[in-house]
Amino acid sequence: MTQPDRNLELFQRAARVIPGGVNSPVRAFKAVGGTPRFISRAQGAYMWDANGQRYVDYIGSWGPMILGHGHPEVVEAVQQALHAGFSFGAPTEREVELAEAILQRMPSMDMVRLVSSGTEAAMTAIRLARGATGRSKLIKFEGCYHGHADALLVKAGSGLATFGNPTSAGVPPEVVQHTLVLEYNNVAQLEEAFALHGKELACLMIEPIAGNMNFVRASIPFMRRARELCTEHGVLLVLDEVMTGFRVALGGAQSVYAKQIPGFEPDMTVMGKVIGGGMPLAAFGAKRAVMEHLAPLGTVYQAGTLSGNPVATACGLATLRLISQPGFYDALAAKTQALTSGLLAAAQAAGVPFSVDSEGGMFGFFLMPDLPQNYATVMQTDSKRFNHFFHSMLDAGVYFAPALYEAGFVSAAHTDADIAHTVDAAKSIFASL
Ligand SMILES: *Cc1c(COP(=O)(O)O)cnc(C)c1O
């Protein structure tokens, strides 16, 4: 007698009470088909589903679980915080500590405000950029995700003069009429857009290493030019480091770019994911002159009942403390590279077109011979092949992101044996592709 599939049972039950059975669309496995795994618990590099099947987890809650699941020092910090109270709606010392910890590690900012989600942080960063500059328009790039604020759910219009069209029902066209969507890594288009609209732009928002179209780096010339154009036109350069912040390096992706572009700094930074260590916590920050436009000092309104939540800040602080130990990122990057080079060798041995890139504990792989530079190229991936690879790996106990446009994440808890198991599984699957 076969065991009942608890994942399937739960998915069917969930679908009756939650739209699509999930509380965030990618979890529904719509891109890859099949039944989403309902996770019952996780520890270290592993998650267990409702059937008791174990997976090596390369999602890590989409980035936050950089230490692996249930790190004892983080659990201890959260437990202590819980006993002192869940939420006060009044300021706490730990918020100050977390703000100081973030600013110390990312010197481009003088002040931060803590919020509860990346969406909220990006949405407010745009409001602040508009309030601080007195301008309305903004640039974003195709394939970059900055959460689901209305003004950011937008795709390119028919030309550089026409601005964007909503990508979601429920977003009136007027709401995105100030959002200009450009192609990632296209310097000529960027220059043209600034020539046309430079003086009306409040900000340019970008994922420096885009993790929402798998893994695509902004090229050095592109990022350098973006910085120059923003400075020339008084436009705020906003790096969305919700995914990359404290994930690719302790100083975020901005520290990676600063190594190659002397003096490089964003005007504003949006953070989330790792800074909460798996709890709802995000932030945005900038220089003092910009941040002082925020209420209660200035005229740009923002607020949050659970902002700077005492349990979330305890989790974030404990996480930041642990990832700041010397050598942490070198070791994490080495693990990630062992994985990516192993996958590449396995694909090459089987004659499967494959390319792969990583920075710190974040990686992406493509079933194509060369690394793509923009969203349109990413989406040329053979999705049937990807889905076959994804499901075969899942059956082998390896949980990669269930969509070809998502990045992957390695944690400090992944062992050599986990990576070897992953590469071995990939070897036999590539041979069958
Ligand atoms: C995840 C993500 C967001 C949105 O964060 P949420 O906490 O899911 O709202 C924004 N920007 C980037 C780059 C992200 O990866």
Side-chain angles (χ1 to χ4, degrees):
M1 206 179 81
T2 53
Q3 295 280 19
D5 182 353
R6 283 282 292 146
N7 293 311
L8 185 59
E9 287 172 4
L10 284 170
F11 191 39
Q12 288 167 344
R13 187 172 144 205
R16 287 196 283 274
V17 288
I18 301 170
V22 294
N23 285 312
S24 198
V26 72
R27 299 178 194 170
F29 275 26
K30 210 172 164 187
V32 291
T35 307
R37 304 311 192 252
F38 278 66
I39 304 303
S40 52
R41 69 189 176 94
Q43 184 60 50
Y46 311 121
M47 298 198 294
W48 285 265
D49 72 9
N51 291 336
Q53 162 90 35
R54 191 190 85 170
Y55 303 94
V56 180
D57 177 18
Y58 289 108
I59 300 181
S61 188
W62 302 100
M65 310 316 297
I66 193 166
L67 294 164
H69 297 278
H71 190 289
E73 286 178 44
V74 178
V75 172
E76 169 70 27
V78 168
Q79 276 171 347
Q80 276 188 18
L82 278 174
H83 288 295
F86 289 12
S87 185
F88 313 122
T92 61
E93 182 170 356
R94 217 175 285 123
E95 292 163 84
V96 186
E97 284 177 357
L98 183 58
E100 288 168 349
I102 292 169
L103 297 176
Q104 199 178 37
R105 290 160 181 78
M106 286 205 184
S108 66
M109 297 175 274
D110 295 331
M111 299 176 116
V112 284
R113 170 133 312 160
L114 305 179
V115 296
S116 300
S117 75
T119 292
E120 198 186 349
M123 174 186 82
T124 315
I126 283 170
R127 186 181 306 140
L128 178 57
R130 285 170 163 166
T133 59
R135 302 171 177 184
S136 299
K137 299 197 186 307
L138 61 105
I139 286 177
K140 84 172 280 287
F141 296 91
E142 193 182 17
C144 286
Y145 177 67
H146 307 292
H148 58 91
D150 283 356
L152 294 164
L153 292 177
V154 53
K155 60 174 184 266
S158 53
L160 283 184
T162 56
F163 289 76
N165 297 314
T167 52
S168 166
V171 177
E174 309 84 73
V175 174
V176 296
Q177 70 180 2
H178 296 299
T179 310
L180 187 59
V181 182
L182 305 181
E183 187 178 74
Y184 201 71
N185 278 328
N186 186 334
V187 174
Q189 209 183 62
L190 188 67
E191 289 182 334
E192 207 182 322
F194 270 87
L196 278 170
H197 307 291
K199 295 293 175 223
E200 303 155 87
L201 288 166
C203 68
L204 176 155
M205 184 175 270
I206 185 168
E207 285 184 77
I209 298 172
N212 290 286
M213 48 172 154
N214 197 328
F215 183 107
V216 182
R217 293 170 190 270
S219 73
I220 298 298
F222 182 70
M223 188 62 94
R224 183 190 293 122
R225 198 68 191 115
R227 177 66 276 179
E228 287 168 358
L229 287 165
C230 282
T231 304
E232 259 169 52
H233 292 85
V235 176
L236 298 179
L237 175 63
V238 184
L239 291 195
D240 181 348
E241 295 229 43
V242 171
M243 191 179 280
T244 53
F246 304 101
R247 172 43 82 175
V248 302
L250 194 56
Q254 53 197 265
S255 71
V256 175
Y257 283 88
K259 278 188 194 146
Q260 297 178 72
I261 308 172
F264 178 83
E265 254 187 10
D267 298 306
M268 211 188 295
T269 302
V270 184
M271 291 154 286
K273 297 192 168 108
V274 171
I275 64 167
M279 290 272 183
L281 205 156
F284 59 97
K287 297 280 189 238
R288 195 170 305 276
V290 172
M291 292 304 280
E292 285 181 349
H293 284 275
L294 267 186
L297 294 178
T299 50
V300 176
Y301 191 68
Q302 183 274 335
T305 300
L306 298 178
S307 288
N309 175 269
V311 183
T313 48
C315 188
L317 261 179
T319 302
L320 283 195
R321 215 172 283 132
L322 287 159
I323 65 181
S324 302
Q325 288 166 351
F328 179 87
Y329 285 89
D330 290 339
L332 185 65
K335 279 181 208 281
T336 310
Q337 280 159 18
L339 172 70
T340 56
S341 59
L343 291 174
L344 179 62
Q348 283 172 341
V352 172
F354 194 84
S355 54
V356 65
D357 196 4
S358 72
E359 188 71 43
M362 176 175 164
F363 67 91
F365 61 84
F366 301 90
L367 299 175
M368 49 174 72
D370 301 306
L371 288 172
Q373 297 299 305
N374 57 46
Y375 181 71
T377 319
V378 170
M379 296 315 280
Q380 284 165 13
T381 301
D382 182 339
S383 61
K384 275 212 184 82
R385 281 187 129 192
F386 174 84
N387 295 350
H388 174 74
F389 179 74
F390 166 79
H391 273 295
S392 305
M393 290 300 284
L394 199 62
D395 291 344
V398 177
Y399 200 147
F400 283 126
L404 59 86
Y405 47 81
E406 302 283 0
F409 305 94
V410 173
S411 80
H414 286 75
T415 63
D416 292 347
D418 296 327
I419 289 165
H421 167 70
T422 305
V423 171
D424 279 346
K427 253 182 213 155
S428 52
I429 295 160
F430 282 139
S432 75
L433 270 181

